[in-house]
Amino acid sequence: MTADAVAGALADDGRRRIFAAIVLGATSATQVAQRTGLAARVVLTGVRRLTDAGLVTGADGALAPDEASLREAARERRPTGDADPDGDPVLRTFLRAGTLVGLPAQRGRRRVLLAHIAERSFEAGTPYPERAVDEALKPWCAAGGSDHVTLRRYLIDERLLTREQGIYRRP
């Protein structure tokens, strides 16, 4: 189980309530439903999702938190991706495994990140149609930290890409 899987499994309010009830001692779906006030169908679906994610075990018919899986997820280190650990802290913060996990609010930090993306995505002076620019930027956005249209707009605003008659170039 990964830390991302834990976060995903607990992203839903109902599943958090179900997990909390189990952690606090509920050992059956009936007890969970009584303690949470959720419908039995919702509880059963939530328990199944939490079990699939590795957060809950149903050993011997008794629900319990899967403490070993939780410890394993806590120990797991997230990859830093293509950013050099000794390199720029902005890249370490906002890039994971070659994808963008967010955009900095501060313009200076955002420019550092955008310059990194521009240098790795586009050859200087080479003309690119808009479709090619979008395709080059989409992999950076796979983690949902931004979308390729916003990224393209920021690259143009920061003059890291130029646009003339639908053709883009990195200066």
Side-chain angles (χ1 to χ4, degrees):
M1 171 180 19
T2 66
D4 289 338
V6 171
L10 295 174
D12 177 69
D13 182 54
R15 287 193 302 266
R16 280 193 305 275
R17 290 169 57 190
I18 293 165
F19 185 67
I22 294 168
V23 168
L24 294 173
T27 58
S28 69
T30 304
Q31 288 178 347
V32 171
Q34 290 171 346
R35 291 182 184 188
T36 62
L38 296 171
R41 182 178 58 84
V42 173
V43 170
L44 291 173
T45 302
V47 167
R48 188 183 87 256
R49 295 276 311 266
L50 293 170
T51 303
D52 291 347
L55 292 171
V56 172
T57 63
D60 302 324
L63 298 174
D66 189 343
E67 295 175 12
S69 291
L70 289 168
R71 274 192 224 95
E72 177 186 323
R75 282 189 216 116
E76 177 190 287
R77 293 181 185 247
R78 293 186 63 172
T80 58
D82 62 352
D84 179 5
D86 297 323
D88 195 298
V90 172
L91 300 180
R92 285 195 315 263
T93 302
F94 293 97
L95 292 176
R96 294 283 184 270
T99 60
L100 191 61
V101 294
L103 284 172
Q106 293 178 337
R107 184 175 181 257
R109 289 182 178 192
R110 189 171 52 237
R111 183 163 172 78
V112 167
L113 182 63
L114 293 169
H116 175 82
I117 291 170
E119 289 171 7
R120 280 161 182 72
S121 301
F122 307 104
E123 293 292 323
T126 303
Y128 296 94
E130 186 168 311
R131 179 173 285 164
V133 172
D134 288 348
E135 292 305 314
L137 295 177
K138 282 180 184 178
W140 291 100
C141 304
S146 185
D147 63 277
H148 68 280
V149 176
T150 301
L151 203 53
R152 185 182 67 214
R153 185 180 68 241
Y154 276 131
L155 288 167
I156 291 167
D157 290 348
E158 293 294 334
R159 295 191 176 112
L160 296 166
L161 282 183
T162 62
R163 176 179 56 204
E164 187 175 316
Q165 296 178 350
I167 301 297
Y168 296 77
R169 282 187 174 79
R170 184 171 73 103

